[in-house]
Amino acid sequence: MKTKDISVIVNGEEVRASVPVRRNLVDFLRTDAGLTGSHVGCEHGVCGACTVEVNGATVRGCLMLAVQADGATVTTVEGFAASGRSAALAAAFTRRNALQCGFCTPGMLASALGYIDRGGTADRAAIREHISGNYCRCTGYQSIVEAICDVIEERTAP
Amino acid sequence: MSVAKPLPHDSAPLHVTGQARYIDDIPTPAGTLHLAFGLSTVARGTIIGVDLSAVRAATGVVAVLTAADLPFANDVSPSNHDEPLLATGTVHYIGQPIFCVVATSHLSARKAARLGKIDYAEETPILTIEAALAANSRFEDGPRIWSKGDVDAALTRAPHRLQGRIEMGGQEHFYLEGQAALALPQEGGDMIVHSSTQHPTEIQHKVAEALGLPMNAVRCEVRRMGGGFGGKESQGNALAVACAVAARLTGKPCKMRYDRDDDMIITGKRHDFRIDYDVGYDDRGRVQGIEFTQYTRCGWAMDLSLPVADRAMLHADNAYLLPHARITSHRLKTNTQSATAYRGFGGPQGVLGVERVMDHVAHALGLDPVQVRQVNYYRAAEGGLSAPHRPAASPPEDISGTKAGQDGQDMTSRGAAGGGQRISSGTGGARRFGAEHSPQAEDYGPNTTPYGMEVTDFALHAMTDRLLASCDYAARRAAIAEWNAANPILKRGIGFSPVKFGISFTLTHLNQAGALVHVYQDGSIHLNHGGTEMGQGLFQKVAQVAASRFGVDVSAVKITATDTGKVPNTSATAASSGSDLNGMAVQAACDTIRDRMAACLADLAQTTPDKVRFAEGRVHVGAEVLSFAEAAARVYVNRVSLSATGFYKTPDLSWDRIRGQGRPFYYFAHGAAVTEVVIDTLTGENRILRTDILHDAGASLNPALDIGQVEGGYVQGAGWLTTEELVWDDKGRLRTHAPSTYKIPAVSDRPPVFNVALWDQANPAATVYRSKAVGEPPFMLGISALLALSDAVAACGPAYPALDAPATPERILTAVQKVRG
């Protein structure tokens, strides 16, 4: 099995590992970096449970190889929480009951942050469009859209 | 009092920070091995050659197991012992596990599992209803038939009569967390199993059988699942048993998780159904007599198919008083995945059958389908249901079945907390009603279901009225007709559907639950019960019950993982029963401890226990006020036990499933929905535009969590009937085995306008704090989406659409062309 040495900045810390070249980014995060907050749902880029941020872009952890992240900066749900970046969103998801089993939540937060931090507005249709690549089987999504709206409205409130 | 508060999910702080652990997130000891199954590639045949040499030689492979290597029982069936873990000579569906690879990594196990060379003597698989009927391939000796009245005479006598058929597809659970298990071998041959399961006791049981051990040597633990929906009631058995057997053989911890494709190919799904109907009715659409014939493909093994098919029969009436009815059910054995539990457990299929009939009859008469439904409703309960929390009339019998006084007392009198909701003094007494309140009374006989159960708590008359008013149904229906007249390409439709869902396991002995509660000397509370958390918020609702009994804040209650070593002989968390059963068991345990504390503290203060009151984190002993912690410490020092078990069994059930007679349910939960859609008549493309729901959760234990169940249930139900299509090819291969080809609702499929409200009235039955079960009933509200689509198609021409499910764009387009003639 061919391996390659890589170095990735994960949640602000450098992680060095020798990884099989076909290892997905999400498997690297879960196995080599020990960060199990990013979940594996479908492993072919549809469900969104593995969504993380790579160099500021919202990325499917199962559609990117770990070796492609060599030298990159990756942020996972644990990093969003530790830095406080997701604090308002986490509070809104909790308050709105925008989670049930919680398995989709880390990926949902990553996608939502990508929308909010790029200046997304509290336009429900636009929010729906943006997170339509993240499946949730439990909530029916109503509360998720409302939670994201809450955060944007709080931020833009005069 | 914490009960009835809309508190967030107890795990929310962990979910939003990535700390919540699912099976695959549990740190494993070094040397943990990983498993994968090698699967049958033919749907039916005999294995004539097995060459696993390439599997054994593959990188990372430690062991390869076949049926011959299993030391004891080779069975993972929840019912009939007809489901070997690994195939024994014959194969019965594409995806059946034949061998099991044990390897050093998940990926190497999966890669090696593809290298097996199996030769088969193939036989023609039985894949369809027709093929199964032709071969008489079925479970049980013949169809089950239940009847009420004289159906044939009623059909003959009726002024109008029509026949029809509806086909409805199955449904993949698509829990976001796939099936997973982890087995950790212990000293002396014991085994600990972590499993993503709704049924830890069954995991314990099947693992014990497979290891040749008594159940006390196996402990199963589950903190949470990443979704279950019924798919983890029995389908986790194979992984847990395989891990335990491999752990026993290798001495190493073993873990297995299905990747998504394997999960969809191997595990069972919702039963697909065909329902034929023959109905006689009058000019108002009032059903005089009706006959249903239900056919379902159960797949290759029995699993839970008998109770699923029973529940489809039990819900063939849904909300309607059918004076003469016959229901015939064929449980067909096919060479496909073994269909299994899925939210509603056959109920949705039975309900959809009669909802189709109502829609068809309304179309034939040119009447509003809502009116036809209202004419056919069961008669309302006398008075009680329009008055919230109204004490029941004199109870006809004591149905409490719990320790004396528990149900019948004002809860505050025992010091739980002040200012809360009073539980009525009746114990289900509102289950008598007066026929004189209904104009249909004399015409349609007693208010009984086709299985002979009197309906005494029917709430849908008032609920329907309120919902129709709040969603402005009549005006919108008129506006839609006008809009359709002006728009030749796009057509709108509106649909209404009610649900009346029976609450209790139909296998009566499953209606029991246990709990274990400890109060520590610092006043903190440790809570454990037999229910499992799959996202529904059960743990929080039960914790709210515990906190209310002790008069403390819910934060004082530590919720712990379900563990067969703490509470034994649990029933699956299924049938919507989680809060009803476990809430009551926890209440009993808490009350035992509270009574001991009260007795001890009263004794010390030379007063009587009734002078001890638990409220707002304090314990009032006469004039003295202690913190709950001080009270616990004082009781501990006085050598009184602060630990108790609790037990509950649902009262007043009796059921004969062969005769189809009895009282299988403790009560009914209700709901009603109106959905509006638009279709494109050139492509069949469609959208849900608006949904309004009024749902009956009794006196809700937690309105926020309950509304979450209603919203999620509706969207999942609408998904079943619109986008979620399972396709098998003529070899029996499931061609939709990943989300790339199987479409569950995304956020963009959710109705943009989605109004959900709870019908917040106390349950007449003496449930925990008069709440109602809420897990499954709202799923059936998704039927309103299918009816709305049918209504939109009906706007295209004179014929009845007879829209099958799922109503994919392809089916809608076909139906549009058909109604145009």
Side-chain angles (χ1 to χ4, degrees):
Chain A
M1 190 162 44
K2 198 174 170 193
T3 61
K4 184 174 186 298
D5 294 337
I6 61 170
S7 164
V8 185
I9 305 295
V10 181
N11 299 336
E13 287 181 34
E14 184 183 15
V15 178
R16 290 175 172 276
S18 177
V19 297
V21 293
R22 62 87 61 216
R23 178 164 290 174
N24 295 332
L25 176 59
V26 66
D27 289 339
F28 164 79
L29 292 169
R30 293 177 54 82
T31 309
D32 301 278
L35 296 167
T36 55
S38 304
H39 297 137
V40 171
C42 73
E43 296 177 79
H44 64 244
V46 181
C47 80
C50 61
T51 306
V52 295
E53 192 180 83
V54 179
N55 292 336
T58 307
V59 165
R60 297 272 201 250
C62 70
L63 291 185
M64 184 173 188
L65 296 171
V67 293
Q68 292 176 289
D70 189 15
T73 297
V74 176
T75 311
T76 69
V77 65
E78 292 95 338
F80 294 135
S83 70
R85 242 180 95 191
S86 62
L89 201 53
F93 266 58
T94 303
R95 187 174 64 241
R96 284 280 187 179
N97 196 28
L99 47 86
Q100 287 181 26
C101 85
F103 201 80
C104 74
T105 308
M108 197 68 82
L109 292 176
S111 286
L113 278 176
Y115 179 79
I116 295 169
D117 290 352
R118 281 186 205 66
T121 61
D123 169 353
R124 286 171 174 77
I127 292 169
R128 283 162 51 128
E129 180 65 26
H130 187 86
I131 61 165
S132 63
N134 287 75
Y135 276 156
C136 167
R137 190 56 151 165
C138 298
T139 63
Y141 302 103
Q142 170 90 344
S143 49
I144 293 173
V145 175
E146 294 305 315
I148 295 169
C149 267
D150 280 358
V151 172
I152 295 168
E153 283 165 358
E154 284 162 19
R155 275 194 193 185
T156 53
Chain B
M1 191 165 71
S2 68
V3 156
K5 280 188 185 160
L7 300 178
H9 196 287
D10 61 281
S11 286
L14 306 178
H15 290 149
V16 296
T17 53
Q19 296 178 78
R21 279 184 187 161
Y22 305 83
I23 298 299
D24 201 31
D25 303 336
I26 297 171
T28 50
T32 297
L33 299 172
H34 300 261
L35 275 54
F37 287 131
L39 307 178
S40 173
T41 54
V42 307
R44 187 183 182 195
T46 304
I47 297 172
I48 53 176
V50 177
D51 176 4
L52 300 178
S53 53
V55 184
R56 294 182 201 282
T59 306
V61 172
V62 173
V64 183
L65 309 179
T66 64
D69 301 309
L70 302 177
F72 293 97
N74 177 17
D75 180 66
V76 293
S77 163
S79 54
N80 202 32
H81 294 276
D82 62 348
E83 196 173 335
L85 169 68
L86 299 173
T88 53
T90 55
V91 289
H92 304 274
Y93 78 103
I94 292 176
Q96 183 177 350
I98 296 175
F99 62 94
C100 179
V101 183
V102 185
T104 51
S105 74
H106 174 70
L107 188 63
S108 47
R110 286 191 59 214
K111 278 184 167 176
R114 302 287 170 92
L115 302 175
K117 292 189 176 61
I118 315 285
D119 291 321
Y120 308 89
E122 285 191 54
E123 295 168 49
T124 306
I126 295 171
L127 300 173
T128 62
I129 290 169
E130 288 77 10
L133 287 171
N136 197 33
S137 175
R138 61 173 75 235
F139 295 100
E140 302 190 295
D141 50 356
R144 288 260 75 77
I145 303 169
W146 301 341
S147 58
K148 169 187 172 184
D150 187 344
V151 180
D152 298 321
L155 285 171
T156 308
R157 259 198 330 261
H160 309 281
R161 186 169 174 177
L162 62 77
Q163 292 87 24
R165 165 178 289 183
I166 181 168
E167 308 262 5
M168 58 195 88
Q171 186 176 25
E172 162 62 32
H173 303 83
F174 212 91
Y175 25 63
L176 260 280
E177 178 209 24
Q179 305 277 349
L182 166 66
L184 303 165
Q186 307 295 304
E187 63 180 21
D190 290 0
M191 194 66 66
I192 294 177
V193 181
H194 295 270
S195 170
S196 183
T197 180
Q198 294 171 240
H199 200 347
T201 289
E202 186 161 274
I203 296 288
Q204 176 196 24
H205 181 205
K206 301 311 288 191
V207 165
E209 281 183 354
L211 298 180
L213 294 172
M215 286 172 76
N216 67 8
V218 179
R219 190 164 74 73
C220 177
E221 181 178 319
V222 51
R223 174 59 185 83
R224 66 173 60 76
M225 283 161 271
F229 315 115
K232 292 174 179 172
E233 186 166 343
S234 63
Q235 303 299 296
N237 292 359
L239 299 90
V241 168
C243 285
V245 169
R248 157 72 72 85
L249 292 175
T250 61
K252 306 271 191 186
C254 287
K255 182 157 88 171
M256 183 175 208
R257 73 171 174 86
Y258 291 159
D259 88 296
R260 187 59 60 179
D261 295 84
D262 279 355
D263 200 314
M264 292 182 73
I265 289 168
I266 296 169
T267 66
K269 297 147 205 338
R270 180 184 296 283
H271 291 68
D272 50 45
F273 268 68
R274 168 188 297 167
I275 299 179
D276 289 340
Y277 51 91
D278 184 351
V279 57
Y281 54 98
D282 70 11
D283 293 342
R284 298 178 304 149
R286 185 67 185 79
V287 171
Q288 314 288 307
I290 192 164
E291 168 146 36
F292 287 108
T293 310
Q294 302 179 341
Y295 304 88
T296 184
R297 297 190 311 148
C298 300
W300 72 286
M302 184 181 280
D303 191 77
L304 303 167
S305 290
L306 301 189
V308 167
D310 286 356
R311 191 169 276 266
M313 299 173 80
L314 287 164
H315 287 79
D317 60 333
N318 191 23
Y320 311 112
L321 172 53
L322 307 174
H324 303 275
R326 182 163 55 232
I327 305 149
T328 302
S329 169
H330 297 269
R331 297 89 192 268
L332 303 169
K333 188 173 182 175
T334 51
N335 293 111
T336 47
Q337 289 81 356
S338 184
T340 190
Y342 193 141
R343 200 175 196 171
F345 205 71
Q349 295 93 319
V351 169
L352 180 53
V354 74
E355 291 305 325
R356 156 58 82 81
V357 170
M358 293 294 150
D359 196 55
H360 198 167
V361 165
H363 188 271
L365 292 170
L367 294 174
D368 184 328
V370 177
Q371 283 172 18
V372 171
R373 287 181 168 83
Q374 288 173 310
V375 160
N376 282 286
Y377 272 166
Y378 282 101
R379 292 189 288 274
E382 183 186 9
L385 289 170
S386 59
H389 306 178
R390 179 177 181 267
S394 60
E397 69 251 47
D398 177 15
I399 56 157
S400 71
T402 54
K403 86 178 189 187
Q406 180 183 318
D407 288 319
Q409 291 197 2
D410 173 359
M411 296 194 317
T412 58
S413 73
R414 311 220 334 193
Q421 164 203 341
R422 274 177 67 100
I423 283 192
S424 100
S425 58
T427 54
R431 296 178 298 100
R432 288 286 176 269
F433 68 97
E436 68 278 11
H437 283 250
S438 169
Q440 310 141 22
E442 292 80 43
D443 300 340
Y444 302 105
N447 209 37
T448 56
T449 64
Y451 47 92
M453 177 171 165
E454 195 176 2
V455 178
T456 58
D457 58 359
F458 192 72
L460 277 164
H461 291 279
M463 289 179 68
T464 302
D465 290 344
R466 189 192 290 181
L467 177 67
L468 294 180
S470 72
C471 80
D472 205 14
Y473 173 80
R476 283 168 61 204
R477 186 167 177 81
I480 287 167
E482 207 172 303
W483 194 89
N484 283 342
N487 286 275
I489 306 299
L490 300 182
K491 297 288 182 188
R492 293 192 175 200
I494 192 165
F496 165 84
S497 67
V499 60
K500 161 187 136 290
F501 194 75
I503 302 300
S504 290
F505 286 99
T506 57
L507 187 53
T508 300
H509 81 254
L510 298 178
N511 296 291
Q512 59 171 305
L516 177 65
V517 176
H518 307 318
V519 174
Y520 293 97
Q521 53 188 298
D522 66 353
S524 63
I525 298 161
H526 177 107
L527 171 66
N528 196 271
H529 55 80
T532 57
E533 177 63 46
M534 60 195 99
Q536 80 278 44
L538 169 67
F539 282 12
Q540 182 72 318
K541 285 166 79 168
V542 174
Q544 288 175 255
V545 170
S548 296
R549 304 315 282 180
F550 288 117
V552 299
D553 189 81
V554 73
S555 62
V557 180
K558 172 65 76 180
I559 294 166
T560 60
T562 315
D563 183 337
T564 57
K566 288 186 180 174
V567 174
N569 308 321
T570 59
S571 295
T573 306
S576 304
S577 69
S579 299
D580 280 9
L581 296 177
N582 296 291
M584 279 298 220
V586 163
Q587 177 173 296
C590 293
D591 288 358
T592 299
I593 296 173
R594 202 182 61 187
D595 289 352
R596 286 189 202 137
M597 291 177 77
C600 172
L601 295 168
D603 202 35
L604 292 171
Q606 296 184 319
T607 180
T608 51
D610 62 317
K611 298 289 189 294
V612 180
R613 204 161 59 82
F614 295 74
E616 287 154 11
R618 293 191 157 62
V619 182
H620 302 259
V621 186
E624 190 183 10
V625 181
L626 304 170
S627 70
F628 186 77
E630 287 167 341
R634 193 175 290 182
V635 170
Y636 160 71
V637 167
N638 282 279
R639 299 191 295 175
V640 171
S641 168
L642 287 169
S643 173
T645 58
F647 184 78
Y648 176 73
K649 59 179 178 180
T650 312
D652 210 21
L653 300 174
S654 69
W655 174 235
D656 180 340
R657 66 170 289 271
I658 302 301
R659 286 175 54 236
Q661 285 293 314
R663 182 183 161 81
F665 304 122
Y666 187 35
Y667 64 91
F668 294 103
H670 306 95
V674 171
T675 296
E676 182 177 340
V677 300
V678 61
I679 64 169
D680 181 333
T681 58
L682 300 179
T683 63
E685 197 184 349
N686 58 88
R687 292 277 186 280
I688 296 177
L689 300 174
R690 173 174 169 179
T691 300
D692 295 78
I693 292 174
L694 182 58
H695 195 81
D696 162 29
S700 173
L701 288 174
N702 181 323
L705 296 175
D706 284 355
I707 283 178
Q709 288 299 294
V710 176
E711 291 174 351
Y714 170 83
V715 169
Q716 205 173 78
W720 170 47
L721 298 173
T722 56
T723 64
E724 299 188 37
E725 185 176 35
L726 292 163
V727 177
W728 285 266
D729 67 16
D730 58 7
K731 299 282 187 194
R733 273 179 301 203
L734 178 67
R735 305 315 299 252
T736 50
H737 53 76
S740 49
T741 46
Y742 182 82
K743 174 69 172 65
I744 71 167
V747 64
S748 42
D749 300 307
R750 180 210 67 146
V753 180
F754 197 7
N755 301 313
V756 177
L758 295 181
W759 176 253
D760 195 16
Q761 303 215 5
N763 190 346
T767 50
V768 61
Y769 288 86
R770 300 281 170 168
S771 62
K772 283 195 180 186
V774 73
E776 293 165 295
F779 180 90
M780 277 146 278
L781 300 176
I783 290 171
S784 62
L786 181 69
L787 295 167
L789 290 166
S790 176
D791 187 49
V793 173
C796 300
Y800 182 63
L803 194 58
D804 287 331
T808 57
E810 190 179 358
R811 281 215 175 89
I812 289 172
L813 190 58
T814 305
V816 166
Q817 287 159 357
K818 196 183 80 180
V819 300
R820 283 180 171 160

